[in-house]
Amino acid sequence: MHPPPPGPLGDCLRDWEDLQQDFQGIQETHRLYRLKLEELTKLQNNCTSSITRQKKRLQELALVLKKCRHSLPSGAEEAAQELENQIKERQGLFFDMEAYLPKKNGLYLSLVLGNVNVTLLSKQAKFAYKDEYEKFKLYLTIILILISFTCRFLLNSRVTDAAFNFLLVWYYCTLTIRESILISNGSRPDGLMYQKFRNQFLSFSMYQSFVQFLQYYYQSGCLYRLRALGERHTMDLTVEGFQSWMWRGLTFLLPFLFFGQFWQLYNALTLFSLAQDPQCKEWQVLMCGLPFLLLFLGNFFTTLRVVHQKFHSQWHGSKKE
């Protein structure tokens, strides 16, 4: 090999030779990386298929155990309970294992991202993503506070209002995507406390929908009769101008309203009790109990005030007559 010529060209040639040696090392490292990546992919597929098979067998075993529980002798009850606990513990272990394995996206992520693998394969990566997610919420919350303050006190423009509303929509849509990615990486949206409160909350939601239907029926009936009598404007609601015949519907509705409001209080007390449970690790349990308590206080005393005002106005109306 000829020696490099002197001058700047020689320096460039020597740098190129150094780059060539480094490049050969990079090629070898990349080749090893691709081999390891193929091995990793095979291990992931083998592990996923093995977990799927054992989960299926566990489900079959749990079903058989459930069917034969009532026919077991008294001495075997303790062993059956122990086996059931072990099955549940194994299912929890599989959940932790699957958090580090690629999985198919759920319906929402599939619609938004397609079939893109969003699984993070190390604890450090998961922690970093979770930390970035919390910082994202903090920064956007500060920005939203500043913009809402500006729109409320400094600017009165449809353009800034529209920008603020667009930012709100974008923020919450982005949150749902990020939270879905967290769930795909093993974040638990439900836990022991959630399962303990789940049925009570769903029952309350069904009852609340039923009461809202009764309220709609009462309000629409009052509005129709007022319009038929020609006493109110077409778009009026029945807050003022209370008539004696309205008591018939209201007295029927009030027990349902008060029952639902005391159910809100019961929800708050249940959540406060769960927050004191030694197994409760989530701060959200206590924070969810506070809104239920505020809802009860606001709804209960508002209902009492409305009833008192309407009763008072009706009594004065009958006294004038």
Side-chain angles (χ1 to χ4, degrees):
M1 184 175 180
H2 299 288
L9 179 59
D11 295 338
C12 292
L13 291 174
R14 282 188 292 269
D15 291 341
W16 175 252
E17 291 295 329
D18 293 338
L19 289 174
Q20 283 288 88
Q21 294 178 3
D22 290 342
F23 178 69
Q24 291 175 0
I26 292 173
Q27 282 185 315
E28 180 63 20
T29 303
H30 188 264
R31 186 185 66 82
L32 292 175
Y33 163 73
R34 294 191 61 178
L35 290 175
K36 297 295 183 182
L37 187 60
E38 291 177 0
E39 294 177 5
L40 175 63
T41 302
K42 291 179 181 179
L43 286 173
Q44 288 174 343
N45 294 334
N46 292 336
C47 192
T48 300
S49 59
S50 299
I51 290 176
T52 301
R53 285 195 303 268
Q54 185 154 140
K55 285 176 67 176
K56 184 178 179 180
R57 293 184 61 186
L58 280 176
Q59 291 175 352
E60 295 172 351
L61 179 60
L63 183 61
V64 172
L65 182 62
K66 184 178 180 180
K67 290 181 178 179
C68 69
R69 283 291 291 269
H70 64 278
S71 60
L72 290 176
S74 58
E77 182 68 26
E78 184 177 350
Q81 183 63 43
E82 179 65 23
L83 179 58
E84 184 177 345
N85 294 336
Q86 291 178 353
I87 291 174
K88 291 181 179 179
E89 182 180 357
R90 182 66 55 81
Q91 290 172 340
L93 291 174
F94 283 146
F95 180 87
D96 295 334
M97 289 181 182
E98 289 175 330
Y100 295 91
L101 292 171
K103 60 178 69 69
K104 291 183 179 180
N105 296 332
L107 177 61
Y108 180 70
L109 281 180
S110 297
L111 293 174
V112 176
L113 301 177
N115 191 25
V116 177
N117 181 24
V118 296
T119 306
L120 304 174
L121 301 180
S122 68
K123 287 185 178 180
Q124 294 80 4
K126 293 177 187 293
F127 176 80
Y129 186 81
K130 175 67 174 178
D131 183 62
E132 194 273 336
Y133 166 76
E134 297 296 338
K135 290 180 180 178
F136 169 79
K137 290 197 298 183
L138 174 63
Y139 297 153
L140 263 294
T141 300
I142 296 174
I143 292 173
L144 289 171
I145 291 174
L146 293 176
I147 295 179
S148 60
F149 179 86
T150 303
C151 293
R152 173 62 179 84
F153 296 105
L154 302 179
L155 298 176
N156 186 8
S157 171
R158 291 182 61 89
V159 175
T160 54
D161 290 352
F164 174 70
N165 292 327
F166 172 78
L167 182 60
L168 280 176
V169 173
W170 174 82
Y171 172 61
Y172 287 111
C173 290
T174 305
L175 277 187
T176 59
I177 298 174
R178 289 173 178 249
E179 289 172 356
S180 299
I181 293 176
L182 284 173
I183 293 172
S184 296
N185 283 277
S187 179
R188 297 178 183 264
D190 63 338
L192 179 60
M193 299 300 109
Y194 173 80
Q195 292 298 331
K196 287 185 175 181
F197 186 66
R198 176 180 180 273
N199 291 338
Q200 179 177 326
F201 176 72
L202 292 177
S203 300
F204 168 75
S205 299
M206 289 189 294
Y207 180 80
Q208 187 178 45
S209 300
F210 170 69
V211 173
Q212 288 174 348
F213 170 77
L214 293 181
Q215 287 179 297
Y216 164 76
Y217 183 77
Y218 168 75
Q219 290 283 3
S220 60
C222 290
L223 183 60
Y224 176 78
R225 186 161 182 175
L226 287 171
R227 288 176 56 192
L229 295 174
E231 297 178 11
R232 305 299 288 172
H233 189 269
T234 303
M235 295 302 293
D236 257 345
L237 296 178
T238 59
V239 176
E240 303 290 342
F242 192 73
Q243 304 294 331
S244 59
W245 51 264
M246 295 180 183
W247 275 112
R248 292 194 297 271
L250 185 60
T251 52
F252 171 78
L253 183 61
L254 282 177
F256 293 97
L257 290 175
F258 283 125
F259 183 79
Q261 290 162 9
F262 279 100
W263 198 339
Q264 290 174 337
L265 176 62
Y266 176 60
N267 288 340
L269 296 177
T270 301
L271 289 168
F272 292 153
S273 176
L274 291 175
Q276 302 300 321
D277 194 305
Q279 294 179 298
C280 180
K281 307 298 182 183
E282 301 88 358
W283 60 267
Q284 291 91 340
V285 176
L286 179 62
M287 292 297 104
C288 288
L290 292 175
F292 274 114
L293 180 60
L294 294 176
L295 282 173
F296 162 73
L297 294 174
N299 291 333
F300 180 72
F301 288 109
T302 300
T303 304
L304 288 181
R305 182 184 177 190
V306 170
V307 171
H308 176 266
Q309 289 178 345
K310 292 187 175 183
F311 180 80
H312 188 69
S313 63
Q314 185 200 17
W315 184 78
H316 276 283
S318 60
K319 188 175 180 180
K320 289 180 180 179
E321 293 177 359

